[in-house]
Amino acid sequence: MIGLLLTRTRVLGWAHLLLFPAAGWLVAGQGQIWRLLLALLAGAGLLTAAHAHNDHHDQGRRHARGWYVAPLIVALLLTLLLSGASMAGAICFAALAGLHSGPLRLKAVPLLGTLLSALGFPMLCLLGVASMTPAAWSLLGLAGLWIASAQLVNEAAHLAQDRVQGLRTTAAMLGPVASSRVTFALLLMAAPVARGISPVAAVAMALYAVAVALLGRGLSPVHLRLAMRYLGVGWAVLVGADLLSRGGW
């Protein structure tokens, strides 16, 4: 039963992305624990729906349609208990995920597919936000740049699979060398944006960019994708601890 649930929800593939609503709560959630819990639940619903929707159009999984509709409805209902920013973020995320995966399948359009991901996933940050602050806007920009870089690496890791499905992604268009350079450039751009959150966030992001660039020289895109995920979690823990200490926790 647990195995079936993990397979249908693909939770192991997106659990780390719940750091986005948690980050939104840290920078602009007013320290309310109930807001964090509801934001995480809403984020889980949206991510389950997005991946099920993608599976439905990529692999023709009929069961995925049900796993798309129900979690989406629950997530949207939860945002009614949060804030206007949370509701707007959830609606934008759902709309952008729909455009990305199908039926238009705009992820098959170079640049546009990557852009949709870079715009969509940061919307999860808004789930934990009580009201928009300068730090919240900085977080959105930072998340967008990080997602764009991670998406390029993810596309490079799926080149063979995408080719079979007839998808020509941004990474396929740019090639491996240019993709690596753009990935590094995006992460470097993220460092000054992170300054709007805290000085620690900016320095940590600059170090993150250098680490990804060095690892990219020796790792395959598949392994670099995992390295970026684990380094990203480490960045989030470090910055989160700094923000919590500043808040007197």
Side-chain angles (χ1 to χ4, degrees), residues 26 31 240-249:
L26 274 173
D242 175 60
L243 292 176
L244 286 173
S245 66
R246 289 169 181 265
W249 288 73

Side-chain angles (χ1 to χ4, degrees), residues 28-228:
Q30 298 179 349
Q32 299 165 316
I33 297 298
W34 66 267
R35 186 181 301 280
L36 172 63
L37 296 177
L38 291 183
L40 292 175
L41 289 174
L46 289 172
L47 287 164
T48 297
H51 284 75
H53 183 66
N54 185 73
D55 285 349
H56 177 73
H57 289 281
D58 270 5
Q59 304 171 23
R61 295 183 180 179
R62 295 182 179 180
H63 66 258
R65 187 181 297 274
W67 286 92
Y68 166 67
V69 176
L72 178 60
I73 292 174
V74 171
L76 292 176
L77 289 176
L78 285 174
T79 62
L80 294 174
L81 304 174
L82 291 166
S83 67
S86 302
M87 183 177 296
I91 293 173
C92 288
F93 176 87
L96 291 167
L99 291 172
H100 181 271
S101 299
L104 295 178
R105 288 173 64 81
L106 294 182
K107 69 178 183 178
V109 181
L111 297 180
L112 183 55
T114 306
L115 178 61
L116 287 173
S117 292
L119 292 174
F121 283 107
M123 294 297 107
L124 295 171
C125 297
L126 297 182
L127 296 175
V129 169
S131 60
M132 294 305 296
T133 64
W137 286 110
S138 294
L139 177 61
L140 279 182
L142 171 64
L145 290 168
W146 185 84
I147 283 293
S149 67
Q151 181 63 21
L152 277 176
V153 175
N154 186 60
E155 290 172 2
H158 285 90
L159 282 178
Q161 178 182 338
D162 290 341
R163 192 176 296 114
V164 171
Q165 296 179 359
L167 302 178
R168 188 167 184 265
T169 59
T170 304
M173 180 189 73
L174 293 177
V177 175
S179 293
S180 297
R181 290 175 178 173
V182 172
T183 296
F184 179 57
L186 289 169
L187 292 175
L188 277 183
M189 290 167 59
V193 175
R195 181 64 179 81
I197 299 174
S198 73
V200 170
V203 173
M205 181 51 63
L207 294 175
Y208 178 94
V210 173
V212 170
L214 293 175
L215 290 172
R217 295 182 177 183
L219 295 179
S220 67
V222 173
H223 292 101
L224 180 60
R225 178 180 59 184
L226 289 175
M228 288 184 69

